[in-house]
Amino acid sequence: MISFGPVPSRRLGKSLGINNIIRPKVCSYSCIYCQVGQTMNPSLTRQLFFTPEQIFIEVDNHLAKLAAEDRPDYMTFVSNGEPTLDMNLGKSIEMLKGLGIPIAVITNSSMLPDPHVRSELMQADWVSVKVDAADADTWQKVNRPAEGLKFENLIDGLKIFAGEYGGELRTETLLCKGINDSQANLKGVAGIISTLAPGRAYISIPIRPPAEKSVMPPGVETVNLAWQIFREAGIETELLTGFEGVDTGFTGNIYEDILNITAVHPLREDALMELLAKNGANFSIVESLLSQRLIRRSLYQGKKFYLRDFQTK
Ligand code: SF4
């Protein structure tokens, strides 16, 4: 199956998934947290999978079967591996653009040193690049790249692409406990991301069974710290911790509003008090959410913040 969905995505609205990689998984990384399992032979060699015509026909047929209200906001290359390893990615994007729906690509960034890959991605309307590590050692531990790629070249490729790309650029950083969640790595990653100037950076955690069973999500305190470090670096940041919070969160129901907002970013206590006052609610609702372990309190520089408690899902 080449296309699937559309699935609801906080980042992309209704997203029709496109898997342009034929099974089994083909990837240039073997991330310890990968939900598709281990990569047998991580490789940087681009290959032929489906033809652009095959992808176009399947997607076109799929769209024809959808009800008008299910028409996707984006068609997203989110593959069984790394979508840029497909030699036909550029041609497929070109053909699919004729369908009049914006195209998104979620890439691990490893192929960005290649100018052909960069020029193919230029045609996409929205691209998310992976930035998990700020140094070669951490990168090796978390992403386990194919032989032949150097960390410096990866960072150069990211910077060149970010400088050239005119669409919606996003970054995604997935944090694993004890691997890439140190303050030094968080600060280094924030430094790299701030030079890329994405419209938004996402911080995520492993929420599905990872390739390596020992991989654990970091605690709420660390996720709060990561968000604060990114924000202090001037980066518009959101959390992706498995809750479909909405950007504004304002539903008119204070209970849901607090859950929605804290799913996306830590809520400082003074802002929370303001929200309660506006809704004529009192702090007992927060205490109730805390006691149900739906949210958690976390201190940062002497201030109290509230986050969705993803540890008790
Ligand atoms: S880049 Fe994506 S598909 Fe490849 S190993 Fe990492 S998580 Fe899995």
Side-chain angles (χ1 to χ4, degrees):
M1 191 174 54
I2 295 172
S3 58
F4 56 94
V7 289
S9 152
R10 203 178 75 219
R11 290 173 288 178
L12 294 161
K14 269 185 259 159
S15 163
L16 185 88
I18 300 173
N19 178 11
N20 59 331
I21 304 278
I22 295 175
R23 283 172 189 278
K25 173 188 177 191
V26 178
C27 196
S28 44
Y29 281 177
S30 185
C31 302
I32 55 172
Y33 56 76
C34 185
Q35 62 191 49
V36 192
Q38 284 192 359
T39 313
M40 285 314 154
N41 294 301
S43 165
L44 295 164
T45 308
R46 302 191 83 195
Q47 302 177 36
L48 288 170
F49 300 101
F50 302 104
T51 65
E53 290 76 15
Q54 274 176 302
I55 291 181
F56 180 87
I57 289 167
E58 181 162 328
V59 172
D60 195 27
N61 287 340
H62 191 142
L63 290 173
K65 287 185 205 140
L66 295 177
E69 64 270 23
D70 289 333
R71 190 170 167 81
D73 301 305
Y74 276 92
M75 299 191 290
T76 309
F77 283 85
V78 49
S79 309
N80 189 31
E82 169 51 31
T84 62
L85 287 174
D86 172 8
M87 283 175 89
N88 279 323
L89 177 67
K91 284 187 201 131
S92 298
I93 294 176
E94 211 178 301
M95 283 188 82
L96 290 169
K97 278 184 89 86
L99 295 170
I101 297 170
I103 311 273
V105 181
I106 297 177
T107 172
N108 68 14
S109 317
S110 64
M111 300 300 285
L112 292 178
D114 180 338
H116 297 293
V117 172
R118 290 199 303 270
S119 77
E120 289 175 21
L121 286 176
M122 291 295 160
Q123 306 177 72
D125 301 277
W126 186 105
V127 173
S128 172
V129 296
K130 187 188 290 297
V131 189
D132 289 340
D135 63 79
D137 280 353
T138 310
W139 178 57
Q140 288 290 341
K141 280 186 199 144
V142 69
N143 300 126
R144 300 187 297 194
E147 295 239 340
L149 180 59
K150 289 203 168 70
F151 186 70
E152 310 79 75
N153 295 346
L154 167 77
I155 299 300
D156 285 349
L158 270 165
K159 289 183 180 168
I160 297 169
F161 178 70
E164 292 169 343
Y165 183 57
E168 296 284 332
L169 182 67
R170 301 287 183 264
T171 63
E172 186 164 336
T173 302
L174 191 142
L175 299 178
C176 301
K177 189 176 184 176
I179 308 286
N180 65 338
D181 64 345
S182 67
Q183 190 154 340
N185 192 60
L186 296 173
K187 284 191 171 162
V189 167
I192 294 167
I193 292 176
S194 63
T195 65
L196 306 179
R200 191 158 297 189
Y202 293 102
I203 295 173
S204 65
I205 58 168
I207 50 176
R208 298 195 185 90
E212 302 299 335
K213 286 196 177 66
S214 58
V215 168
M216 300 292 290
V220 169
E221 298 288 334
T222 307
V223 172
N224 185 22
L225 176 69
W227 189 85
Q228 306 289 350
I229 288 174
F230 276 39
R231 291 292 294 217
E232 280 163 14
I235 305 163
E236 187 63 39
T237 308
E238 266 189 34
L239 304 178
L240 293 175
T241 52
F243 296 107
E244 284 301 302
V246 293
D247 262 332
T248 59
F250 300 113
T251 63
N253 173 331
I254 183 67
Y255 186 87
E256 280 177 25
D257 285 354
I258 294 171
L259 291 179
N260 279 336
I261 297 168
T262 55
V264 179
H265 61 77
L267 186 58
R268 216 168 70 183
E269 192 165 75
D270 50 358
L272 175 61
M273 298 308 274
E274 235 173 79
L275 188 63
L276 290 170
K278 260 191 213 155
N279 284 271
N282 61 40
F283 203 71
S284 63
I285 194 154
V286 178
E287 278 158 359
S288 159
L289 291 168
L290 285 167
S291 69
Q292 292 176 71
R293 300 207 64 187
L294 290 168
I295 60 172
R296 279 276 288 274
R297 191 186 283 128
S298 165
L299 274 182
Y300 180 73
Q301 294 191 339
K303 296 220 162 36
K304 289 176 191 154
F305 289 83
Y306 295 82
L307 289 86
R308 273 304 293 267
D309 190 350
F310 51 83
Q311 290 176 311
T312 54
K313 271 194 297 175

